[in-house]
Amino acid sequence: MASVLSLEHLGKQLPTQQHTWLFSDITVDIASPEITLIMGKSGQGKSTLLRLLGLLDTADDGTIRHLGKTPTEWGPEKWRMSVSYVAQQPVMLPGSVEDNLRAVSRLHKRPFETELARTWMEAVGLGEMDWSKQAAQLSGGERQRVALVRSLLLHPTVLLLDEVTASLDTISKRATEELLVDLHRREGTTLLWITHDWEQARAVGQRIWFLAGGRLLEDSPADRFFEGPQTQEAQEFLSAHLVQKEDAPCLP
């Protein structure tokens, strides 16, 4: 059986510095559905990597395959239906919340799954939202969740999640995590998820990709990564987090 997603020597140059690589030679394979967390310091190209996989940017080197076929073999529209990107700061389409939720069915000419959309909106804490509300009036956290449900209505095989809970309060974050983990378990959806939230990474991650110095330095089961990273860069990354946690002020 073909891999869910495979990257072969993938690389991206910095647009402002010719012949300088943001990252290069990333070769990795997701053989079966799983939840992979992408971690690393800011500026390592994590978001750019997801954008490449979502065909929102172009790689300067290497090959991507989904279920054994390249983007050219799939065609951009079918690829994006199966490999769906959800941005940290999603763009709302003009019109209402309902217009945004119905965008997938309009674009791909298929029935709108009203009850499923309502179920998922409720699951992420938006069950009481008025669908006639203008999308431009939504808060950042509301936009994140509406955009997520909009992407889920594609029923993608792979979800590319770029800090999708960063603007959410604790209750909404937990609810969103539970929905995504449940989708992975029930439907076999692969989640490729950028996070800086250590608690989240430990709670939902099955596998960790750690980027540093323009390379994918570690690719390991989550428990192994957190208990004993293999590279000095990852050890320093974990140590810095522990120091920050210890230095955090205690609330009375």
Side-chain angles (χ1 to χ4, degrees):
M1 181 181 293
S3 296
V4 175
L5 200 64
S6 62
L7 288 59
E8 301 170 10
H9 307 294
L10 197 66
K12 181 66 178 178
Q13 295 181 8
L14 290 171
T16 56
Q17 300 180 41
Q18 192 174 14
H19 305 306
T20 301
W21 293 85
L22 176 61
F23 55 77
S24 63
D25 201 30
I26 292 182
T27 297
V28 68
D29 184 77
I30 298 177
S32 58
E34 62 181 28
I35 303 176
T36 298
L37 279 293
I38 305 177
M39 304 190 75
K41 295 179 181 178
S42 297
Q44 298 303 310
K46 299 184 296 296
S47 294
T48 299
L49 177 59
L50 285 198
R51 289 179 60 82
L52 295 183
L53 300 180
L55 303 189
L56 300 174
D57 203 345
T58 304
D60 294 308
D61 193 19
T63 304
I64 307 166
R65 286 185 173 84
H66 171 46
L67 299 176
K69 298 192 295 184
T70 65
T72 300
E73 292 172 304
W74 275 88
E77 181 176 323
K78 289 185 177 180
W79 178 284
R80 292 190 183 109
M81 287 177 65
S82 192
V83 183
S84 181
Y85 174 75
V86 186
Q88 180 178 355
Q89 298 180 338
V91 175
M92 290 288 99
L93 302 174
S96 66
V97 170
E98 183 168 0
D99 290 332
N100 274 266
L101 295 175
R102 286 181 174 271
V104 166
S105 61
R106 289 197 307 268
L107 181 62
H108 299 291
K109 297 180 175 61
R110 60 194 199 188
F112 177 58
E113 299 174 278
T114 307
E115 291 308 313
L116 186 58
R118 291 192 185 281
T119 297
W120 283 340
M121 288 285 281
E122 184 173 358
V124 297
L126 298 178
E128 301 300 318
M129 175 170 281
D130 180 359
W131 285 19
S132 66
K133 184 175 182 178
Q134 292 297 297
Q137 298 174 355
L138 299 179
S139 69
E142 289 171 336
R143 291 184 183 203
Q144 275 191 324
R145 286 174 283 170
V146 170
L148 175 61
V149 173
R150 184 175 64 191
S151 289
L152 293 181
L153 289 167
L154 283 166
H155 297 282
T157 303
V158 179
L159 264 174
L160 309 171
L161 305 170
D162 192 350
E163 294 276 3
V164 294
T165 61
S167 297
L168 305 186
D169 60 71
T170 300
I171 294 174
S172 298
K173 182 181 75 170
R174 292 286 182 267
T176 301
E177 290 171 356
E178 289 174 6
L179 172 61
L180 290 168
V181 171
D182 183 60
L183 279 172
H184 164 71
R185 290 172 178 165
R186 287 190 300 104
E187 300 188 12
T189 307
T190 288
L191 309 180
L192 197 52
W193 191 337
I194 295 172
T195 185
H196 289 93
D197 185 328
W198 289 73
E199 183 180 354
Q200 181 177 81
R202 286 182 175 274
V204 306
Q206 298 171 350
R207 180 176 177 182
I208 302 294
W209 291 357
F210 175 71
L211 273 66
R215 293 286 190 275
L216 178 63
L217 288 190
E218 301 218 16
D219 170 19
S220 67
D223 55 355
R224 185 186 304 168
F225 176 81
F226 287 114
E227 290 172 6
Q230 300 300 301
T231 62
Q232 181 178 344
E233 290 87 346
Q235 292 167 10
E236 292 174 352
F237 180 70
L238 290 174
S239 296
H241 166 70
L242 292 174
V243 169
Q244 292 174 359
K245 187 174 181 179
E246 291 172 357
D247 290 344
C250 296
L251 297 177

